[in-house]
Amino acid sequence: MRDLLPVPGWLVGRGGRPEGYCHRQMIDAVRYLVDNGIKWRAMPSDFPPWPRVYAFFARWRDAGLVAELHDRLREAVRTTEGRSPEPTAAVVDSQSVKADATVAHASRGYDAGKKINGRKRHLLTDTVGLLLAVLVTPASTTDRDAARILLPTAKNHFRRLVRIWADGGYTGHLTDWTTQHLGLVLGIVRRSDDVHGFQVLPRRWVVERSFAWPCAVGAWSVTTSGAPTPARPSSCGR
């Protein structure tokens, strides 16, 4: 990733003071925070001061560097798995979670189906389970409404996408809409009414496992934005 990192101005003759910490230290500090799911203020003393680490991270994030690093890592994993770097199929799902009392009412809602007052995470992953896009909405937002925001963004970023798998919450006019406007085939994987208890469903288990990865390390970022974003390490721990 060294080639992707911006060259400090003082090294290319643009003046300014030399940076006090090398980029490798900053990368290691950010990776430590994501892997352990800690707060910025809980950064161990082995790393540079947390305000400096956060300043570097924010600068790289705003420049699109963090998303670029994530995309390249995903492509490397897919290549190792014997797949093409860019996916042609994906899986979408959502998860409602309770919101803390400090979360503003404007960014929370009530999911009547799950009986949860909070937010809803919408994930789009490839068939390996690697993140493609993330959208956070109030829990009252239906899966179909969120998909009309999430899927067009993903299609613009991943041009080769042709098929999406989803659960029964995405049925209805959305299937025709995705075909007409996005050129995507939306396949609904339904759960059999004859089966009681837990059941592993084809394709759907992939994205459900992806939900479990960040929850295991507590690495979900706290965001109030309703805009979909490319998957990035700050949004998920894996």
Side-chain angles (χ1 to χ4, degrees):
M1 70 179 65
R2 178 185 298 171
D3 295 336
L4 294 177
L5 296 176
V7 179
W10 65 277
L11 284 179
V12 292
R14 294 203 302 267
R17 297 176 57 185
E19 295 180 353
Y21 305 98
C22 72
H23 288 174
R24 176 57 186 266
Q25 287 180 296
M26 296 299 179
I27 289 290
D28 288 345
V30 172
R31 291 178 62 234
Y32 182 91
L33 177 137
V34 172
D35 184 54
N36 291 275
I38 64 172
K39 300 177 181 178
W40 286 102
R41 293 179 182 272
M43 187 74 66
S45 59
D46 308 67
F47 296 112
W50 77 266
R52 298 304 308 143
V53 178
Y54 179 77
F56 269 82
F57 167 77
R59 188 191 314 166
W60 292 340
R61 177 200 59 200
D62 296 343
L65 176 62
V66 176
E68 176 68 19
L69 291 176
H70 184 274
D71 287 347
R72 294 203 179 195
L73 288 172
R74 182 184 58 246
E75 291 172 0
V77 173
R78 289 182 55 84
T79 301
T80 303
E81 294 283 337
R83 302 169 184 265
S84 61
E86 186 171 330
T88 58
V91 192
V92 65
D93 201 359
S94 66
Q95 180 186 60
S96 295
V97 292
K98 293 181 179 179
D100 191 85
T102 59
V103 176
H105 287 285
S107 63
R108 65 192 297 161
Y110 184 71
D111 184 343
K114 301 293 180 61
K115 294 180 172 58
I116 290 178
N117 188 333
R119 290 174 175 165
K120 185 178 287 189
R121 306 159 175 165
H122 306 268
L123 257 61
L124 184 72
T125 73
D126 65 5
T127 54
V128 183
L130 304 177
L131 292 181
L132 301 179
V134 179
L135 174 65
V136 179
T137 67
S140 55
T141 305
T142 66
D143 292 346
R144 292 185 294 272
D145 290 342
R148 287 176 177 263
I149 303 173
L150 185 67
L151 296 184
T153 303
K155 180 62 176 179
N156 290 335
H157 192 70
F158 304 99
R159 300 285 185 174
R160 297 186 62 205
L161 273 180
V162 294
R163 188 175 185 88
I164 306 289
W165 282 283
D167 62 21
Y170 296 85
T171 55
H173 295 297
L174 181 64
T175 54
D176 295 331
W177 184 86
T178 54
T179 301
Q180 295 173 5
H181 293 83
L182 305 178
L184 294 173
V185 177
L186 183 63
I188 305 300
V189 181
R190 301 182 183 276
R191 186 177 185 275
S192 175
D193 295 334
D194 300 330
V195 177
H196 300 282
F198 177 75
Q199 179 187 21
V200 178
L201 298 176
R203 302 298 181 183
R204 278 175 52 182
W205 70 269
V206 175
V207 67
E208 291 169 355
R209 180 186 60 180
S210 299
F211 274 116
W213 283 341
C215 292
V217 297
W220 282 104
S221 65
V222 180
T223 176
T224 60
S225 172
T229 59
R232 55 181 62 169
S234 61
S235 300
C236 178
R238 298 290 182 183

